[in-house]
Amino acid sequence: EIVLTQSPGTLSLSPGERATLSCRASQSVSNNHLAWYQQKPGQAPRLLIYGVSTRATGIPDRFSGSGSGTDFTLTISRPEPEDFAVYFCQHYDYSPSFGQGTRLDIK
Amino acid sequence: QVQLQESGPGLVRPSETLSLTCTVSGGSISVYHWSWIRQSPGRGLEWIGYTYHSGSTNYNPSLKSRVTISVDTPKNQFSLKLSSVTAADTAVYYCARTRVGWETVYFFDYWGQGAQVTVSS
């Protein structure tokens, strides 16, 4: 079972300041089998990125995903006020797992 | 636009069975796989299992002995039953459309709003 560890736990930034969120896997992830989600308070997670770097339908291009092997990154180039939320990574698997999340806070 | 809506009791007594239903609108349940996922402060997001319109299922090994997921194609619904619940099963339960390939769960592209279920006497 692959364990996903996200860092930092909380990231405090000003709107417009580039956000870099990390997801590290305990074993190498094959075939770009990683997705990212955004969750706002009281809402369900929303799919942002799948296949490491493909944006889901309707996701703005300020969101981008990258990485390979065990290290993956979600970048928000110029966060808007509505982007301050919690972000989760998820590994594709027979029994998929999620990271514990990174909270993006407004400084 | 596909929409999912969870329904069911918000309070379940310990040792009893938790039952939830997810109603899918805006699309046929006969095309994709459909999952249940739960979220709690202590356990984070946890995938419970999925079903397909054929009735085939796949469950999280850690919950497999207590979980049954079934599909009702004419009603465009699928359901979750979790038996012998304890306080540790208290969580927000989500239903979600699931992309699957070669028995590998890929990702979840549409989610319901979530249903809070509390296990307490």
mmCIF file of all heavy atoms in Angstrom, chain A residues 96 98, chain B residues 4-8 18-23 33-39 46-51 58-60 63 67-70 77-81 92-98 108 111 114-115 117:
data_model
loop_
_atom_site.group_PDB
_atom_site.id
_atom_site.type_symbol
_atom_site.label_atom_id
_atom_site.label_comp_id
_atom_site.label_asym_id
_atom_site.label_seq_id
_atom_site.Cartn_x
_atom_site.Cartn_y
_atom_site.Cartn_z
ATOM 1 N N PRO A 96 -7.622 2.724 -3.520
ATOM 2 C CA PRO A 96 -6.924 4.017 -3.569
ATOM 3 C C PRO A 96 -6.809 4.688 -2.210
ATOM 4 O O PRO A 96 -7.639 4.458 -1.317
ATOM 5 C CB PRO A 96 -7.812 4.843 -4.492
ATOM 6 C CG PRO A 96 -9.168 4.255 -4.325
ATOM 7 C CD PRO A 96 -8.941 2.772 -4.138
ATOM 8 N N PHE A 98 -5.637 8.525 -0.066
ATOM 9 C CA PHE A 98 -5.518 9.974 -0.151
ATOM 10 C C PHE A 98 -4.420 10.451 0.794
ATOM 11 O O PHE A 98 -4.151 9.821 1.826
ATOM 12 C CB PHE A 98 -6.828 10.637 0.297
ATOM 13 C CG PHE A 98 -8.000 10.404 -0.612
ATOM 14 C CD1 PHE A 98 -8.769 9.252 -0.489
ATOM 15 C CD2 PHE A 98 -8.355 11.332 -1.582
ATOM 16 C CE1 PHE A 98 -9.863 9.034 -1.318
ATOM 17 C CE2 PHE A 98 -9.448 11.129 -2.412
ATOM 18 C CZ PHE A 98 -10.196 9.971 -2.278
ATOM 19 N N LEU B 4 -25.222 14.024 -7.843
ATOM 20 C CA LEU B 4 -25.405 12.908 -6.925
ATOM 21 C C LEU B 4 -25.927 13.451 -5.605
ATOM 22 O O LEU B 4 -25.519 14.534 -5.154
ATOM 23 C CB LEU B 4 -24.080 12.175 -6.681
ATOM 24 C CG LEU B 4 -23.411 11.509 -7.890
ATOM 25 C CD1 LEU B 4 -22.477 12.476 -8.605
ATOM 26 C CD2 LEU B 4 -22.635 10.279 -7.449
ATOM 27 N N GLN B 5 -26.809 12.692 -4.968
ATOM 28 C CA GLN B 5 -27.405 13.113 -3.709
ATOM 29 C C GLN B 5 -27.502 11.927 -2.760
ATOM 30 O O GLN B 5 -28.180 10.941 -3.068
ATOM 31 C CB GLN B 5 -28.790 13.707 -3.932
ATOM 32 C CG GLN B 5 -29.505 14.125 -2.658
ATOM 33 C CD GLN B 5 -28.828 15.315 -1.990
ATOM 34 O OE1 GLN B 5 -28.672 16.376 -2.573
ATOM 35 N NE2 GLN B 5 -28.409 15.131 -0.744
ATOM 36 N N GLU B 6 -26.843 12.052 -1.606
ATOM 37 C CA GLU B 6 -26.906 11.016 -0.570
ATOM 38 C C GLU B 6 -28.158 11.195 0.275
ATOM 39 O O GLU B 6 -28.590 12.327 0.518
ATOM 40 C CB GLU B 6 -25.682 11.070 0.342
ATOM 41 C CG GLU B 6 -24.348 10.964 -0.350
ATOM 42 C CD GLU B 6 -23.792 12.303 -0.777
ATOM 43 O OE1 GLU B 6 -24.522 13.311 -0.697
ATOM 44 O OE2 GLU B 6 -22.623 12.357 -1.200
ATOM 45 N N SER B 7 -28.706 10.066 0.756
ATOM 46 C CA SER B 7 -29.836 10.133 1.683
ATOM 47 C C SER B 7 -29.763 8.955 2.638
ATOM 48 O O SER B 7 -29.229 7.890 2.292
ATOM 49 C CB SER B 7 -31.169 10.125 0.919
ATOM 50 O OG SER B 7 -31.278 8.968 0.124
ATOM 51 N N GLY B 8 -30.308 9.162 3.837
ATOM 52 C CA GLY B 8 -30.308 8.110 4.835
ATOM 53 C C GLY B 8 -30.256 8.680 6.229
ATOM 54 O O GLY B 8 -30.099 9.895 6.405
ATOM 55 N N LEU B 18 -25.404 0.752 9.190
ATOM 56 C CA LEU B 18 -25.541 2.054 8.540
ATOM 57 C C LEU B 18 -26.010 1.812 7.097
ATOM 58 O O LEU B 18 -25.425 0.968 6.392
ATOM 59 C CB LEU B 18 -24.185 2.742 8.564
ATOM 60 C CG LEU B 18 -23.941 4.110 7.916
ATOM 61 C CD1 LEU B 18 -22.662 4.733 8.523
ATOM 62 C CD2 LEU B 18 -23.801 4.050 6.425
ATOM 63 N N SER B 19 -27.042 2.559 6.689
ATOM 64 C CA SER B 19 -27.557 2.402 5.318
ATOM 65 C C SER B 19 -27.714 3.766 4.674
ATOM 66 O O SER B 19 -28.374 4.652 5.233
ATOM 67 C CB SER B 19 -28.914 1.693 5.340
ATOM 68 O OG SER B 19 -28.790 0.381 5.827
ATOM 69 N N LEU B 20 -27.121 3.928 3.503
ATOM 70 C CA LEU B 20 -27.235 5.160 2.744
ATOM 71 C C LEU B 20 -27.539 4.831 1.287
ATOM 72 O O LEU B 20 -27.126 3.796 0.771
ATOM 73 C CB LEU B 20 -25.939 5.968 2.801
ATOM 74 C CG LEU B 20 -25.545 6.570 4.148
ATOM 75 C CD1 LEU B 20 -24.139 7.142 4.081
ATOM 76 C CD2 LEU B 20 -26.529 7.645 4.577
ATOM 77 N N THR B 21 -28.225 5.758 0.635
ATOM 78 C CA THR B 21 -28.538 5.627 -0.792
ATOM 79 C C THR B 21 -28.042 6.866 -1.514
ATOM 80 O O THR B 21 -28.114 7.985 -0.981
ATOM 81 C CB THR B 21 -30.052 5.463 -1.000
ATOM 82 O OG1 THR B 21 -30.464 4.233 -0.403
ATOM 83 C CG2 THR B 21 -30.407 5.443 -2.479
ATOM 84 N N CYS B 22 -27.545 6.671 -2.714
ATOM 85 C CA CYS B 22 -27.106 7.770 -3.568
ATOM 86 C C CYS B 22 -27.964 7.767 -4.843
ATOM 87 O O CYS B 22 -28.030 6.749 -5.548
ATOM 88 C CB CYS B 22 -25.647 7.606 -3.937
ATOM 89 S SG CYS B 22 -24.972 8.951 -4.952
ATOM 90 N N THR B 23 -28.624 8.885 -5.094
ATOM 91 C CA THR B 23 -29.438 9.020 -6.295
ATOM 92 C C THR B 23 -28.663 9.837 -7.327
ATOM 93 O O THR B 23 -28.200 10.949 -7.025
ATOM 94 C CB THR B 23 -30.774 9.700 -5.979
ATOM 95 O OG1 THR B 23 -31.462 8.913 -5.009
ATOM 96 C CG2 THR B 23 -31.624 9.830 -7.227
ATOM 97 N N HIS B 33 -18.541 3.509 -13.022
ATOM 98 C CA HIS B 33 -18.463 2.919 -11.691
ATOM 99 C C HIS B 33 -18.844 3.992 -10.667
ATOM 100 O O HIS B 33 -18.680 5.200 -10.928
ATOM 101 C CB HIS B 33 -17.056 2.408 -11.414
ATOM 102 C CG HIS B 33 -16.652 1.236 -12.256
ATOM 103 N ND1 HIS B 33 -16.349 1.356 -13.593
ATOM 104 C CD2 HIS B 33 -16.507 -0.085 -11.944
ATOM 105 C CE1 HIS B 33 -16.024 0.161 -14.079
ATOM 106 N NE2 HIS B 33 -16.112 -0.728 -13.099
ATOM 107 N N TRP B 34 -19.305 3.533 -9.509
ATOM 108 C CA TRP B 34 -19.829 4.440 -8.492
ATOM 109 C C TRP B 34 -19.309 4.025 -7.127
ATOM 110 O O TRP B 34 -19.437 2.861 -6.734
ATOM 111 C CB TRP B 34 -21.356 4.425 -8.525
ATOM 112 C CG TRP B 34 -21.870 4.745 -9.891
ATOM 113 C CD1 TRP B 34 -22.127 3.861 -10.898
ATOM 114 C CD2 TRP B 34 -22.125 6.048 -10.430
ATOM 115 N NE1 TRP B 34 -22.534 4.538 -12.031
ATOM 116 C CE2 TRP B 34 -22.549 5.874 -11.773
ATOM 117 C CE3 TRP B 34 -22.040 7.337 -9.916
ATOM 118 C CZ2 TRP B 34 -22.881 6.946 -12.596
ATOM 119 C CZ3 TRP B 34 -22.382 8.408 -10.735
ATOM 120 C CH2 TRP B 34 -22.792 8.210 -12.058
ATOM 121 N N SER B 35 -18.740 4.999 -6.401
ATOM 122 C CA SER B 35 -18.067 4.716 -5.129
ATOM 123 C C SER B 35 -18.749 5.384 -3.943
ATOM 124 O O SER B 35 -19.473 6.371 -4.095
ATOM 125 C CB SER B 35 -16.616 5.234 -5.154
ATOM 126 O OG SER B 35 -15.779 4.458 -5.959
ATOM 127 N N TRP B 36 -18.420 4.832 -2.763
ATOM 128 C CA TRP B 36 -18.667 5.499 -1.493
ATOM 129 C C TRP B 36 -17.308 5.836 -0.879
ATOM 130 O O TRP B 36 -16.391 5.004 -0.883
ATOM 131 C CB TRP B 36 -19.469 4.613 -0.550
ATOM 132 C CG TRP B 36 -20.906 4.482 -0.953
ATOM 133 C CD1 TRP B 36 -21.486 3.463 -1.662
ATOM 134 C CD2 TRP B 36 -21.956 5.408 -0.674
ATOM 135 N NE1 TRP B 36 -22.822 3.708 -1.842
ATOM 136 C CE2 TRP B 36 -23.136 4.895 -1.251
ATOM 137 C CE3 TRP B 36 -22.025 6.625 0.012
ATOM 138 C CZ2 TRP B 36 -24.376 5.548 -1.149
ATOM 139 C CZ3 TRP B 36 -23.243 7.274 0.115
ATOM 140 C CH2 TRP B 36 -24.404 6.747 -0.471
ATOM 141 N N ILE B 37 -17.214 7.035 -0.351
ATOM 142 C CA ILE B 37 -16.001 7.545 0.295
ATOM 143 C C ILE B 37 -16.448 8.234 1.572
ATOM 144 O O ILE B 37 -17.503 8.869 1.586
ATOM 145 C CB ILE B 37 -15.292 8.574 -0.622
ATOM 146 C CG1 ILE B 37 -14.865 7.912 -1.935
ATOM 147 C CG2 ILE B 37 -14.077 9.200 0.080
ATOM 148 C CD1 ILE B 37 -14.676 8.894 -3.073
ATOM 149 N N ARG B 38 -15.670 8.102 2.635
ATOM 150 C CA ARG B 38 -16.026 8.791 3.871
ATOM 151 C C ARG B 38 -14.879 9.662 4.333
ATOM 152 O O ARG B 38 -13.725 9.447 3.952
ATOM 153 C CB ARG B 38 -16.453 7.809 4.957
ATOM 154 C CG ARG B 38 -15.367 6.902 5.472
ATOM 155 C CD ARG B 38 -15.940 5.945 6.514
ATOM 156 N NE ARG B 38 -14.904 5.089 7.095
ATOM 157 C CZ ARG B 38 -15.152 4.159 8.028
ATOM 158 N NH1 ARG B 38 -16.402 3.965 8.454
ATOM 159 N NH2 ARG B 38 -14.170 3.444 8.509
ATOM 160 N N GLN B 39 -15.203 10.630 5.177
ATOM 161 C CA GLN B 39 -14.212 11.588 5.677
ATOM 162 C C GLN B 39 -14.485 11.890 7.133
ATOM 163 O O GLN B 39 -15.601 12.266 7.505
ATOM 164 C CB GLN B 39 -14.254 12.872 4.857
ATOM 165 C CG GLN B 39 -13.185 13.892 5.236
ATOM 166 C CD GLN B 39 -13.205 15.106 4.314
ATOM 167 O OE1 GLN B 39 -14.246 15.505 3.804
ATOM 168 N NE2 GLN B 39 -12.038 15.696 4.063
ATOM 169 N N GLU B 46 -11.312 8.351 3.120
ATOM 170 C CA GLU B 46 -11.141 6.898 3.048
ATOM 171 C C GLU B 46 -12.119 6.333 2.024
ATOM 172 O O GLU B 46 -13.331 6.474 2.172
ATOM 173 C CB GLU B 46 -11.389 6.272 4.427
ATOM 174 C CG GLU B 46 -11.202 4.780 4.484
ATOM 175 C CD GLU B 46 -11.395 4.248 5.897
ATOM 176 O OE1 GLU B 46 -12.185 4.847 6.655
ATOM 177 O OE2 GLU B 46 -10.776 3.240 6.242
ATOM 178 N N TRP B 47 -11.595 5.688 1.000
ATOM 179 C CA TRP B 47 -12.430 5.044 -0.015
ATOM 180 C C TRP B 47 -13.009 3.765 0.585
ATOM 181 O O TRP B 47 -12.288 2.964 1.187
ATOM 182 C CB TRP B 47 -11.596 4.735 -1.243
ATOM 183 C CG TRP B 47 -12.305 3.945 -2.289
ATOM 184 C CD1 TRP B 47 -13.254 4.397 -3.170
ATOM 185 C CD2 TRP B 47 -12.113 2.559 -2.585
ATOM 186 N NE1 TRP B 47 -13.662 3.375 -3.986
ATOM 187 C CE2 TRP B 47 -12.982 2.234 -3.652
ATOM 188 C CE3 TRP B 47 -11.296 1.563 -2.060
ATOM 189 C CZ2 TRP B 47 -13.051 0.954 -4.189
ATOM 190 C CZ3 TRP B 47 -11.351 0.284 -2.593
ATOM 191 C CH2 TRP B 47 -12.233 -0.003 -3.657
ATOM 192 N N ILE B 48 -14.320 3.571 0.424
ATOM 193 C CA ILE B 48 -14.996 2.416 0.999
ATOM 194 C C ILE B 48 -15.160 1.300 -0.026
ATOM 195 O O ILE B 48 -14.907 0.125 0.269
ATOM 196 C CB ILE B 48 -16.385 2.829 1.548
ATOM 197 C CG1 ILE B 48 -16.220 3.879 2.651
ATOM 198 C CG2 ILE B 48 -17.150 1.605 2.052
ATOM 199 C CD1 ILE B 48 -17.534 4.525 3.073
ATOM 200 N N GLY B 49 -15.562 1.656 -1.240
ATOM 201 C CA GLY B 49 -15.747 0.651 -2.270
ATOM 202 C C GLY B 49 -16.531 1.201 -3.441
ATOM 203 O O GLY B 49 -17.027 2.327 -3.394
ATOM 204 N N TYR B 50 -16.614 0.389 -4.517
ATOM 205 C CA TYR B 50 -17.399 0.810 -5.681
ATOM 206 C C TYR B 50 -18.273 -0.328 -6.197
ATOM 207 O O TYR B 50 -18.070 -1.503 -5.871
ATOM 208 C CB TYR B 50 -16.503 1.355 -6.795
ATOM 209 C CG TYR B 50 -15.641 0.352 -7.560
ATOM 210 C CD1 TYR B 50 -16.185 -0.668 -8.329
ATOM 211 C CD2 TYR B 50 -14.250 0.474 -7.543
ATOM 212 C CE1 TYR B 50 -15.384 -1.554 -9.028
ATOM 213 C CE2 TYR B 50 -13.441 -0.404 -8.239
ATOM 214 C CZ TYR B 50 -14.008 -1.410 -8.986
ATOM 215 O OH TYR B 50 -13.209 -2.294 -9.684
ATOM 216 N N THR B 51 -19.240 0.078 -7.007
ATOM 217 C CA THR B 51 -20.069 -0.876 -7.714
ATOM 218 C C THR B 51 -20.164 -0.466 -9.173
ATOM 219 O O THR B 51 -19.873 0.690 -9.533
ATOM 220 C CB THR B 51 -21.469 -0.979 -7.087
ATOM 221 O OG1 THR B 51 -22.184 -2.058 -7.706
ATOM 222 C CG2 THR B 51 -22.263 0.313 -7.265
ATOM 223 N N ASN B 58 -16.023 -3.806 -5.662
ATOM 224 C CA ASN B 58 -14.664 -3.884 -5.144
ATOM 225 C C ASN B 58 -14.642 -3.070 -3.863
ATOM 226 O O ASN B 58 -15.148 -1.941 -3.847
ATOM 227 C CB ASN B 58 -13.667 -3.307 -6.154
ATOM 228 C CG ASN B 58 -12.238 -3.350 -5.645
ATOM 229 O OD1 ASN B 58 -11.881 -4.217 -4.857
ATOM 230 N ND2 ASN B 58 -11.426 -2.399 -6.073
ATOM 231 N N TYR B 59 -14.091 -3.639 -2.798
ATOM 232 C CA TYR B 59 -14.135 -2.987 -1.495
ATOM 233 C C TYR B 59 -12.740 -2.747 -0.940
ATOM 234 O O TYR B 59 -11.797 -3.508 -1.208
ATOM 235 C CB TYR B 59 -14.914 -3.849 -0.502
ATOM 236 C CG TYR B 59 -16.345 -4.140 -0.878
ATOM 237 C CD1 TYR B 59 -16.878 -5.413 -0.726
ATOM 238 C CD2 TYR B 59 -17.187 -3.141 -1.381
ATOM 239 C CE1 TYR B 59 -18.203 -5.698 -1.058
ATOM 240 C CE2 TYR B 59 -18.497 -3.411 -1.724
ATOM 241 C CZ TYR B 59 -19.005 -4.693 -1.561
ATOM 242 O OH TYR B 59 -20.304 -4.957 -1.903
ATOM 243 N N ASN B 60 -12.641 -1.716 -0.097
ATOM 244 C CA ASN B 60 -11.426 -1.486 0.675
ATOM 245 C C ASN B 60 -11.209 -2.697 1.591
ATOM 246 O O ASN B 60 -12.102 -3.050 2.361
ATOM 247 C CB ASN B 60 -11.597 -0.209 1.499
ATOM 248 C CG ASN B 60 -10.336 0.195 2.244
ATOM 249 O OD1 ASN B 60 -9.587 -0.635 2.736
ATOM 250 N ND2 ASN B 60 -10.130 1.498 2.343
ATOM 251 N N LEU B 63 -12.332 -2.682 5.226
ATOM 252 C CA LEU B 63 -13.755 -2.606 5.553
ATOM 253 C C LEU B 63 -14.553 -3.749 4.942
ATOM 254 O O LEU B 63 -15.749 -3.888 5.221
ATOM 255 C CB LEU B 63 -14.333 -1.276 5.055
ATOM 256 C CG LEU B 63 -13.767 -0.012 5.700
ATOM 257 C CD1 LEU B 63 -14.191 1.215 4.918
ATOM 258 C CD2 LEU B 63 -14.233 0.108 7.154
ATOM 259 N N VAL B 67 -18.919 -4.371 4.645
ATOM 260 C CA VAL B 67 -19.491 -3.493 3.618
ATOM 261 C C VAL B 67 -20.239 -4.285 2.554
ATOM 262 O O VAL B 67 -19.780 -5.339 2.095
ATOM 263 C CB VAL B 67 -18.388 -2.667 2.927
ATOM 264 C CG1 VAL B 67 -18.945 -1.887 1.736
ATOM 265 C CG2 VAL B 67 -17.733 -1.722 3.916
ATOM 266 N N THR B 68 -21.388 -3.719 2.157
ATOM 267 C CA THR B 68 -22.094 -4.182 0.963
ATOM 268 C C THR B 68 -22.524 -2.955 0.166
ATOM 269 O O THR B 68 -23.166 -2.053 0.712
ATOM 270 C CB THR B 68 -23.341 -5.006 1.306
ATOM 271 O OG1 THR B 68 -22.963 -6.125 2.113
ATOM 272 C CG2 THR B 68 -24.017 -5.507 0.043
ATOM 273 N N ILE B 69 -22.129 -2.906 -1.097
ATOM 274 C CA ILE B 69 -22.573 -1.849 -1.999
ATOM 275 C C ILE B 69 -23.365 -2.501 -3.117
ATOM 276 O O ILE B 69 -22.914 -3.477 -3.717
ATOM 277 C CB ILE B 69 -21.385 -1.047 -2.570
ATOM 278 C CG1 ILE B 69 -20.626 -0.345 -1.443
ATOM 279 C CG2 ILE B 69 -21.873 -0.017 -3.590
ATOM 280 C CD1 ILE B 69 -19.366 0.397 -1.892
ATOM 281 N N SER B 70 -24.549 -1.960 -3.371
ATOM 282 C CA SER B 70 -25.420 -2.533 -4.391
ATOM 283 C C SER B 70 -25.957 -1.436 -5.296
ATOM 284 O O SER B 70 -25.930 -0.252 -4.945
ATOM 285 C CB SER B 70 -26.577 -3.281 -3.734
ATOM 286 O OG SER B 70 -27.310 -2.425 -2.894
ATOM 287 N N GLN B 77 -29.923 4.482 -8.773
ATOM 288 C CA GLN B 77 -29.421 4.624 -7.414
ATOM 289 C C GLN B 77 -28.417 3.519 -7.087
ATOM 290 O O GLN B 77 -28.450 2.448 -7.683
ATOM 291 C CB GLN B 77 -30.570 4.522 -6.402
ATOM 292 C CG GLN B 77 -31.588 5.639 -6.457
ATOM 293 C CD GLN B 77 -32.727 5.411 -5.476
ATOM 294 O OE1 GLN B 77 -33.043 4.275 -5.101
ATOM 295 N NE2 GLN B 77 -33.354 6.500 -5.040
ATOM 296 N N PHE B 78 -27.551 3.811 -6.133
ATOM 297 C CA PHE B 78 -26.726 2.767 -5.543
ATOM 298 C C PHE B 78 -26.674 2.994 -4.040
ATOM 299 O O PHE B 78 -26.930 4.111 -3.558
ATOM 300 C CB PHE B 78 -25.347 2.680 -6.185
ATOM 301 C CG PHE B 78 -24.453 3.885 -6.024
ATOM 302 C CD1 PHE B 78 -23.393 3.863 -5.130
ATOM 303 C CD2 PHE B 78 -24.652 5.032 -6.776
ATOM 304 C CE1 PHE B 78 -22.547 4.954 -4.996
ATOM 305 C CE2 PHE B 78 -23.822 6.124 -6.659
ATOM 306 C CZ PHE B 78 -22.772 6.085 -5.763
ATOM 307 N N SER B 79 -26.382 1.940 -3.307
ATOM 308 C CA SER B 79 -26.542 1.992 -1.859
ATOM 309 C C SER B 79 -25.334 1.416 -1.130
ATOM 310 O O SER B 79 -24.586 0.614 -1.680
ATOM 311 C CB SER B 79 -27.792 1.202 -1.444
ATOM 312 O OG SER B 79 -28.950 1.783 -2.009
ATOM 313 N N LEU B 80 -25.192 1.851 0.104
ATOM 314 C CA LEU B 80 -24.127 1.398 0.999
ATOM 315 C C LEU B 80 -24.754 0.814 2.252
ATOM 316 O O LEU B 80 -25.670 1.410 2.826
ATOM 317 C CB LEU B 80 -23.232 2.575 1.398
ATOM 318 C CG LEU B 80 -22.248 2.335 2.548
ATOM 319 C CD1 LEU B 80 -21.146 1.376 2.122
ATOM 320 C CD2 LEU B 80 -21.660 3.665 3.041
ATOM 321 N N LYS B 81 -24.272 -0.348 2.672
ATOM 322 C CA LYS B 81 -24.594 -0.890 3.980
ATOM 323 C C LYS B 81 -23.286 -1.214 4.688
ATOM 324 O O LYS B 81 -22.420 -1.898 4.128
ATOM 325 C CB LYS B 81 -25.470 -2.144 3.867
ATOM 326 C CG LYS B 81 -26.885 -1.869 3.358
ATOM 327 C CD LYS B 81 -27.771 -3.090 3.471
ATOM 328 C CE LYS B 81 -29.142 -2.831 2.877
ATOM 329 N NZ LYS B 81 -29.851 -1.710 3.538
ATOM 330 N N VAL B 92 -18.523 11.957 7.547
ATOM 331 C CA VAL B 92 -19.320 12.417 6.414
ATOM 332 C C VAL B 92 -19.127 11.379 5.304
ATOM 333 O O VAL B 92 -17.988 11.047 4.956
ATOM 334 C CB VAL B 92 -18.886 13.806 5.931
ATOM 335 C CG1 VAL B 92 -19.688 14.208 4.689
ATOM 336 C CG2 VAL B 92 -19.063 14.840 7.040
ATOM 337 N N TYR B 93 -20.229 10.868 4.780
ATOM 338 C CA TYR B 93 -20.190 9.857 3.733
ATOM 339 C C TYR B 93 -20.556 10.501 2.397
ATOM 340 O O TYR B 93 -21.603 11.156 2.284
ATOM 341 C CB TYR B 93 -21.155 8.714 4.065
ATOM 342 C CG TYR B 93 -20.623 7.823 5.158
ATOM 343 C CD1 TYR B 93 -20.643 8.235 6.488
ATOM 344 C CD2 TYR B 93 -20.081 6.580 4.864
ATOM 345 C CE1 TYR B 93 -20.120 7.438 7.491
ATOM 346 C CE2 TYR B 93 -19.569 5.762 5.861
ATOM 347 C CZ TYR B 93 -19.590 6.197 7.172
ATOM 348 O OH TYR B 93 -19.067 5.392 8.163
ATOM 349 N N TYR B 94 -19.674 10.312 1.407
ATOM 350 C CA TYR B 94 -19.883 10.845 0.070
ATOM 351 C C TYR B 94 -20.094 9.711 -0.924
ATOM 352 O O TYR B 94 -19.450 8.656 -0.815
ATOM 353 C CB TYR B 94 -18.653 11.624 -0.405
ATOM 354 C CG TYR B 94 -18.318 12.868 0.381
ATOM 355 C CD1 TYR B 94 -17.303 12.855 1.339
ATOM 356 C CD2 TYR B 94 -18.986 14.063 0.135
ATOM 357 C CE1 TYR B 94 -16.974 14.016 2.031
ATOM 358 C CE2 TYR B 94 -18.656 15.225 0.839
ATOM 359 C CZ TYR B 94 -17.655 15.181 1.779
ATOM 360 O OH TYR B 94 -17.321 16.320 2.477
ATOM 361 N N CYS B 95 -20.959 9.962 -1.907
ATOM 362 C CA CYS B 95 -20.991 9.087 -3.074
ATOM 363 C C CYS B 95 -20.319 9.839 -4.221
ATOM 364 O O CYS B 95 -20.333 11.076 -4.264
ATOM 365 C CB CYS B 95 -22.399 8.637 -3.420
ATOM 366 S SG CYS B 95 -23.628 9.924 -3.707
ATOM 367 N N ALA B 96 -19.724 9.090 -5.145
ATOM 368 C CA ALA B 96 -18.935 9.733 -6.198
ATOM 369 C C ALA B 96 -18.888 8.868 -7.454
ATOM 370 O O ALA B 96 -18.805 7.635 -7.363
ATOM 371 C CB ALA B 96 -17.508 10.001 -5.708
ATOM 372 N N ARG B 97 -18.923 9.511 -8.600
ATOM 373 C CA ARG B 97 -18.693 8.809 -9.857
ATOM 374 C C ARG B 97 -17.202 8.504 -9.956
ATOM 375 O O ARG B 97 -16.360 9.357 -9.621
ATOM 376 C CB ARG B 97 -19.130 9.647 -11.052
ATOM 377 C CG ARG B 97 -19.241 8.841 -12.336
ATOM 378 C CD ARG B 97 -19.777 9.655 -13.485
ATOM 379 N NE ARG B 97 -18.738 10.458 -14.115
ATOM 380 C CZ ARG B 97 -18.923 11.133 -15.254
ATOM 381 N NH1 ARG B 97 -20.100 11.113 -15.857
ATOM 382 N NH2 ARG B 97 -17.934 11.848 -15.768
ATOM 383 N N THR B 98 -16.893 7.308 -10.417
ATOM 384 C CA THR B 98 -15.537 6.787 -10.325
ATOM 385 C C THR B 98 -15.036 6.338 -11.687
ATOM 386 O O THR B 98 -15.719 5.600 -12.395
ATOM 387 C CB THR B 98 -15.516 5.597 -9.350
ATOM 388 O OG1 THR B 98 -16.104 6.016 -8.104
ATOM 389 C CG2 THR B 98 -14.100 5.106 -9.102
ATOM 390 N N PHE B 108 -12.111 10.317 -8.904
ATOM 391 C CA PHE B 108 -13.517 10.557 -8.626
ATOM 392 C C PHE B 108 -13.886 11.919 -9.200
ATOM 393 O O PHE B 108 -13.412 12.946 -8.705
ATOM 394 C CB PHE B 108 -13.765 10.514 -7.118
ATOM 395 C CG PHE B 108 -13.157 9.296 -6.468
ATOM 396 C CD1 PHE B 108 -11.934 9.376 -5.832
ATOM 397 C CD2 PHE B 108 -13.801 8.070 -6.520
ATOM 398 C CE1 PHE B 108 -11.351 8.260 -5.244
ATOM 399 C CE2 PHE B 108 -13.234 6.943 -5.944
ATOM 400 C CZ PHE B 108 -12.006 7.039 -5.302
ATOM 401 N N TRP B 111 -19.033 14.309 -7.247
ATOM 402 C CA TRP B 111 -19.291 13.939 -5.851
ATOM 403 C C TRP B 111 -20.666 14.444 -5.421
ATOM 404 O O TRP B 111 -21.133 15.499 -5.882
ATOM 405 C CB TRP B 111 -18.252 14.580 -4.930
ATOM 406 C CG TRP B 111 -16.834 14.151 -5.135
ATOM 407 C CD1 TRP B 111 -16.064 14.301 -6.263
ATOM 408 C CD2 TRP B 111 -15.989 13.540 -4.163
ATOM 409 N NE1 TRP B 111 -14.800 13.811 -6.052
ATOM 410 C CE2 TRP B 111 -14.714 13.340 -4.766
ATOM 411 C CE3 TRP B 111 -16.146 13.142 -2.831
ATOM 412 C CZ2 TRP B 111 -13.639 12.759 -4.088
ATOM 413 C CZ3 TRP B 111 -15.074 12.575 -2.158
ATOM 414 C CH2 TRP B 111 -13.842 12.378 -2.776
ATOM 415 N N GLY B 114 -22.496 15.099 0.387
ATOM 416 C CA GLY B 114 -22.086 14.459 1.630
ATOM 417 C C GLY B 114 -23.216 14.340 2.631
ATOM 418 O O GLY B 114 -24.105 15.194 2.684
ATOM 419 N N ALA B 115 -23.175 13.270 3.419
ATOM 420 C CA ALA B 115 -24.167 13.039 4.462
ATOM 421 C C ALA B 115 -23.440 12.743 5.765
ATOM 422 O O ALA B 115 -22.631 11.802 5.832
ATOM 423 C CB ALA B 115 -25.074 11.875 4.098
ATOM 424 N N VAL B 117 -23.063 11.130 9.169
ATOM 425 C CA VAL B 117 -23.610 10.000 9.916
ATOM 426 C C VAL B 117 -22.871 9.908 11.247
ATOM 427 O O VAL B 117 -21.636 9.834 11.272
ATOM 428 C CB VAL B 117 -23.478 8.681 9.141
ATOM 429 C CG1 VAL B 117 -24.028 7.535 9.983
ATOM 430 C CG2 VAL B 117 -24.206 8.764 7.804
#
